[in-house]
C-alpha cells in the first residue's frame, strides 16, 4: 500500500495503460479509469494550455496530485515562459511518485523525477521554459499574490469535496485571474456551471474525455 502524506493510496492502471491512484478512504481515483493520460490531455492541456495565446503565462493548478498535469504542461508547451503554481494539501510520498508510468521517453522521465524531487513551498526551475511552485496548501486558505492566465481545476468530485466547488471558491479563483483567463475542469454538473456563471465566468460545455459526455471551459471576460 502506497501513501500520500496522510492517506493510503493504491496504484491502478487506467484503460489507456497509464497509472492512476485510488484513495480507499474517499472511494475516489486521482484520474479517470478510462485513461489518466488521455484525460489530462483532453481536459487541461488541449482546451486550456494550448488555447492560451499569450507568450508568458501563469498557471494555477488545483491539486498537483500525481504531477501528470505538470509533466504534460512542461512537455507540450509552446510558450516561452511558464510560472506554474500548484496547490496540494496531501503531497504524494516519494515511493508512490516513483512508481508512476506517465513519461514516454527518458527526457520526460527526467523531468518527472525532477518534478517530484524539487522542494515544496519554493519556486524552482523545472525546465528552461517552466518554473514551478509546489505549494503545500489548501485552496480554502491560500492567499493569492499574483494573477493567472490558466487554471486547471482538478479537485476531487463535488460529492467528495463539496467545499471545493462553492461559489466562494470560484469567486476567489475568478478574482485571481487575468482578463481572458481560461479555467477548465472535467466536471460538467449543472450546478457547477451555474456557480461559475454566478461569479462572472462565461462558461461553455465541451465534449468530455472518454467516459464523460461533457466538460467545462470557463473564460473571464
Amino acid at each position: 500500500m502506497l501513501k500520500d502524506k496522510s492517506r493510503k493510496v493504491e496504484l491502478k492502471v487506467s484503460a489507456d495503460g497509464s497509472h492512476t491512484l485510488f484513495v480507499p478512504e474517499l472511494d475516489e481515483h486521482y484520474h479517470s479509469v478510462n485513461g489518466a493520460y488521455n484525460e489530462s490531455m483532453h481536459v487541461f492541456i488541449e482546451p486550456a494550455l494550448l488555447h492560451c495565446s499569450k507568450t508568458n503565462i501563469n498557471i494555477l493548478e488545483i491539486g498537483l496530485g500525481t504531477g501528470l498535469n505538470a509533466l504534460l504542461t512542461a512537455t507540450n508547451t509552446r510558450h516561452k515562459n511558464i510560472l506554474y503554481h500548484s496547490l496540494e494539501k496531501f503531497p504524494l510520498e516519494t515511493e508512490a511518485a516513483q512508481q508512476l508510468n506517465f513519461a514516454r521517453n527518458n527526457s520526460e522521465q527526467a523531468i518527472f523525477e525532477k518534478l517530484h524531487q524539487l522542494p515544496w513551498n519554493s519556486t524552482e526551475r523545472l525546465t528552461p521554459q517552466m518554473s514551478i511552485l509546489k505549494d503545500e496548501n489548501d485552496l480554502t486558505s491560500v492567499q493569492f499574490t499574483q494573477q493567472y492566465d490558466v487554471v486547471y481545476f482538478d479537485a476531487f468530485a463535488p460529492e467528495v469535496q463539496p467545499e471545493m466547488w462553492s461559489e466562494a471558491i470560484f469567486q476567489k479563483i475568478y478574482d485571481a485571474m487575468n482578463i481572458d483567463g481560461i479555467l477548465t475542469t472535467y466536471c460538467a454538473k449543472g450546478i457547477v456551471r451555474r456557480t461559475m456563471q454566478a461569479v462572472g465566468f462565461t462558461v461553455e460545455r465541451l465534449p468530455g474525455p472518454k467516459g464523460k459526455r461533457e466538460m467545462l471551459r470557463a473564460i473571464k471576460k
Side-chain angles (χ1 to χ4, degrees), residues 55-214:
T55 300
N56 303 306
I57 62 173
N58 292 343
I59 298 176
L60 173 65
E61 179 184 33
I62 310 304
L64 177 67
T66 61
L68 176 56
N69 292 335
L71 172 68
L72 293 180
T73 298
T75 56
N76 287 277
T77 185
R78 58 172 180 242
H79 303 86
K80 290 186 177 179
N81 187 58
I82 292 176
L83 178 59
Y84 194 99
H85 181 186
S86 187
L87 301 175
E88 180 56 65
K89 188 176 181 180
F90 302 105
L92 276 185
E93 297 284 1
T94 303
E95 179 190 3
Q98 288 175 340
Q99 297 191 38
L100 298 168
N101 68 349
F102 301 136
R104 296 169 296 180
N105 52 53
N106 290 338
S107 176
E108 291 187 3
Q109 183 61 33
I111 293 172
F112 191 67
E113 290 178 1
K114 183 177 181 181
L115 167 67
H116 285 286
Q117 291 166 358
L118 288 174
W120 285 83
N121 305 314
S122 173
T123 301
E124 305 287 343
R125 180 66 63 176
L126 179 62
T127 71
Q129 291 78 34
M130 178 172 160
S131 296
I132 186 167
L133 168 60
K134 299 192 303 181
D135 191 351
E136 191 174 348
N137 210 332
D138 186 277
L139 179 57
T140 60
S141 58
V142 68
Q143 298 298 314
F144 295 122
T145 58
Q146 59 189 3
Q147 300 292 109
Y148 301 95
D149 305 295
V150 169
V151 178
Y152 300 157
F153 198 87
D154 203 13
F156 284 127
E159 55 269 26
V160 177
Q161 285 187 314
E163 71 280 3
M164 296 292 285
W165 301 82
S166 68
E167 184 170 330
I169 285 293
F170 283 115
Q171 186 69 64
K172 184 175 188 176
I173 293 173
Y174 182 89
D175 292 343
M177 292 176 68
N178 287 317
I179 297 298
D180 295 326
I182 303 163
L183 179 153
T184 55
T185 182
Y186 62 88
C187 183
K189 290 181 179 293
I191 189 170
V192 172
R193 176 175 53 82
R194 290 188 294 273
T195 301
M196 290 179 176
Q197 291 171 329
V199 304
F201 282 113
T202 298
V203 185
E204 59 182 322
R205 299 184 183 94
L206 300 177
K210 184 177 180 180
K212 290 187 68 68
R213 187 166 61 89
E214 294 179 328

